[in-house]
Amino acid sequence: MEQDLFGNPIEPQKIKTIAKIGFNKIEGGEFIYYPNYFEQLDSDNYYSSMCDNIIWNQEKMNMYGKSVFLPRLTAWYGDAEKSYKFSGIKLNPHSWTPELLEIRNKINEIGKVSFNSVLLNRYRTGNDWISWHQDNEKELGINPVIGSVNFGATRKFQIRHLKTKEVIDILLHHGSLLVMAGALQHNWQHQVPKEKNVSEGRINLTFRVIL
Ligand SMILES: O=C(O)CCC(=O)C(=O)O
Ligand SMILES: [Mn+2]
């Protein structure tokens, strides 16, 4: 069996299922998944315009006392007074662009909330990634609704139950929408692993309600 840094055995991941289209009720959480939420042409336009017009940054975070670059580019947009902290980084938002507002207004209906900010992640190739985490910062409230929109390369998004270690794979395609809700952020972590065979870029937008 594989071992971690300290020689303890790592249980093989239990991949259970591929997410089904629409509403998914799972143990200790829920999500809604629409693989083709946006039209192809709109998605193409959003992708190229965001590559050019979003103010992208490669932030640094502190890891074991060292300052290291995040393995992806990020940007934070939203209502002026809503700043956001993650991994020790504090981001003040840029103001909404017309297309971010357009997307926000469309997905508000699905999430049944009014999103007031969005964190954008740009994965330049399959070497960029985000490791296991929960979106459980206190400014997101108790059971946050997170609306995740995807353009560009298809990447595998995984959620893993904290206790059972069950893993569900969700393929996030060009134009897809994933809404995470209920107690999901308490009981499940998520990640976008590296994928060595992906050479194209991907942009992910996670719309959030900052209290
Ligand atoms: O890129 C993704 O699909 C997920 C991004 C994410 O989990 C985050 O920014 O918190
Ligand atoms: Mn997240």
Side-chain angles (χ1 to χ4, degrees):
M1 194 182 277
E2 242 192 296
Q3 296 187 337
D4 68 14
L5 281 177
F6 309 100
N8 302 315
I10 305 174
E11 269 208 40
Q13 285 187 351
K14 296 180 212 158
I15 306 274
K16 186 203 155 203
T17 36
I18 308 286
K20 65 176 198 285
I21 295 174
F23 185 75
N24 288 256
K25 176 92 195 123
I26 53 176
E27 193 192 329
E30 56 197 59
F31 63 90
I32 306 168
Y33 172 52
Y34 291 119
N36 300 301
Y37 185 71
F38 292 92
E39 308 259 342
Q40 168 89 32
L41 191 62
D42 292 339
S43 304
D44 295 350
N45 291 336
Y46 282 137
Y47 182 72
S48 59
S49 128
M50 285 182 202
C51 282
D52 294 344
N53 300 324
I54 292 295
I55 303 163
W56 297 105
N57 259 312
Q58 188 170 15
E59 303 285 346
K60 283 183 168 173
M61 66 177 282
N62 199 342
M63 213 170 150
Y64 307 115
K66 272 201 193 143
S67 175
V68 294
F69 280 113
L70 290 188
R72 61 190 178 278
L73 308 182
T74 56
W76 178 247
Y77 282 70
D79 292 358
E81 71 284 8
K82 305 290 179 188
S83 70
Y84 185 55
K85 279 196 222 98
F86 72 100
S87 309
I89 300 165
K90 182 167 184 242
L91 294 176
N92 286 317
H94 297 292
S95 30
W96 292 104
T97 66
E99 59 190 7
L100 288 175
L101 275 180
E102 191 175 274
I103 297 172
R104 194 270 307 254
N105 294 344
K106 192 166 150 94
I107 67 166
N108 270 350
E109 288 171 32
I110 306 278
K112 298 194 182 71
V113 289
S114 185
F115 293 113
N116 57 22
S117 47
V118 57
L119 174 65
L120 295 96
N121 287 292
R122 183 167 174 191
Y123 303 82
R124 293 157 293 182
T125 66
N127 273 323
D128 278 351
W129 67 299
I130 189 165
S131 59
W132 289 116
H133 68 280
Q134 290 144 274
D135 294 345
N136 59 359
E137 293 81 7
K138 67 173 185 322
E139 57 267 43
L140 295 175
I142 292 180
N143 279 343
V145 177
I146 312 258
S148 163
V149 171
N150 305 281
F151 301 119
T154 299
R155 291 289 295 264
K156 192 198 299 175
F157 180 89
Q158 298 183 302
I159 63 173
R160 178 175 70 181
H161 195 279
L162 281 167
K163 291 218 178 84
T164 67
K165 304 294 178 205
E166 176 186 339
V167 175
I168 299 177
D169 282 3
I170 307 171
L171 284 183
L172 296 181
H173 305 280
H174 190 44
S176 61
L177 170 69
L178 172 74
V179 178
M180 299 187 271
L184 196 84
Q185 301 303 331
H186 296 275
N187 300 312
W188 296 75
Q189 294 181 306
H190 55 271
Q191 73 162 353
V192 178
K194 280 189 185 183
E195 287 188 74
K196 295 284 176 208
N197 53 347
V198 175
S199 55
E200 303 296 311
R202 162 180 183 258
I203 291 176
N204 166 262
L205 297 79
T206 52
F207 288 86
R208 296 150 190 256
V209 183
I210 303 287
L211 302 178

